[in-house]
Amino acid sequence: VVRHAHCSVLTVHGQHAKDISITGKRRKILVPTDFSEPAEVALQSAVEIAQQFQMKLQLLYVVPVHYSTGEYDAVDFAMLAVEQKRSGQKQLAKIKQALTAKKIAVTTTIRTGRPASEIVEVAEDFDPDLIVISTHGVTGWRRAVLGSTTEEVVRHSTCPVLIVREK
């Protein structure tokens, strides 16, 4: 369903279904972003939910780990990661400023590692009521080789996950 649905999908693990309450004490939404168009659409959905239910947003950007293989050994992956982190900090600060102006409580986090693993780990620490994440719709051999961050988050998250479609 997550992979093929043409609409957004809310997933809830059976053992956690009874704990769901949009009016609970935590009132937090985790929003992972890679600053892509699909991630922007997911952020807008999270903002709408946060405004409606007076929830706090935790924005997360994960700098992916880069590995060198073959002819690309000459690339300075450490320098690339530093630049991605710096760029992520700037973009998160800009988003935070815009959301704060709309009276939305927001915090930001940057991590380095495998995106899915880092998202799940931050979710365990932040203990959100909901994760709102986009999907890029990668299929075929790319999905088989690279996997799906969103699907992995859905499998390992202990809270509901709203997968937002770009269109």
Side-chain angles (χ1 to χ4, degrees):
V1 172
V2 170
R3 194 177 316 147
H4 298 291
H6 297 287
C7 60
S8 297
V9 175
L10 177 65
T11 63
V12 180
H13 287 274
Q15 70 267 28
H16 302 291
K18 65 182 180 298
D19 299 330
I20 296 175
S21 172
I22 202 76
T23 60
K25 293 180 183 175
R26 295 173 291 183
R27 305 182 63 77
K28 300 182 286 189
I29 302 173
L30 176 61
V31 187
T33 184
D34 59 4
F35 309 111
S36 64
E37 281 189 43
E40 176 62 28
V41 173
L43 175 60
Q44 291 310 313
S45 294
V47 166
E48 290 174 16
I49 295 167
Q51 286 176 318
Q52 184 170 357
F53 296 102
Q54 294 80 46
M55 298 176 82
K56 177 181 179 178
L57 295 181
Q58 170 72 42
L59 304 180
L60 170 64
Y61 172 59
V62 179
V63 177
V65 176
H66 299 282
Y67 300 99
S68 59
T69 58
E71 63 188 73
Y72 298 104
D73 286 341
V75 174
D76 187 345
F77 287 105
M79 190 65 140
L80 176 62
V82 168
E83 180 53 38
Q84 285 182 306
K85 184 174 182 177
R86 187 177 307 128
S87 175
Q89 288 169 329
K90 288 178 185 177
Q91 291 180 73
L92 285 175
K94 185 177 177 181
I95 294 169
K96 182 177 181 176
Q97 183 179 20
L99 294 176
T100 302
K102 293 180 178 182
K103 307 284 191 246
I104 297 172
V106 60
T107 56
T108 62
T109 302
I110 295 182
R111 301 280 290 259
T112 301
R114 283 189 64 250
S117 299
E118 295 300 321
I119 293 165
V120 170
E121 189 172 307
V122 168
E124 289 172 1
D125 295 340
F126 184 63
D127 196 24
D129 297 285
L130 178 67
I131 297 173
V132 177
I133 190 169
S134 65
T135 182
H136 291 278
V138 175
T139 59
W141 71 269
R142 286 188 65 208
R143 187 187 162 285
V145 172
L146 301 174
S148 168
T149 296
T150 300
E151 286 183 36
E152 192 171 336
V153 169
V154 166
R155 277 194 303 275
H156 297 289
S157 173
T158 59
C159 72
V161 179
L162 177 61
I163 301 99
V164 178
R165 295 285 179 213
E166 183 178 6
K167 297 176 179 154

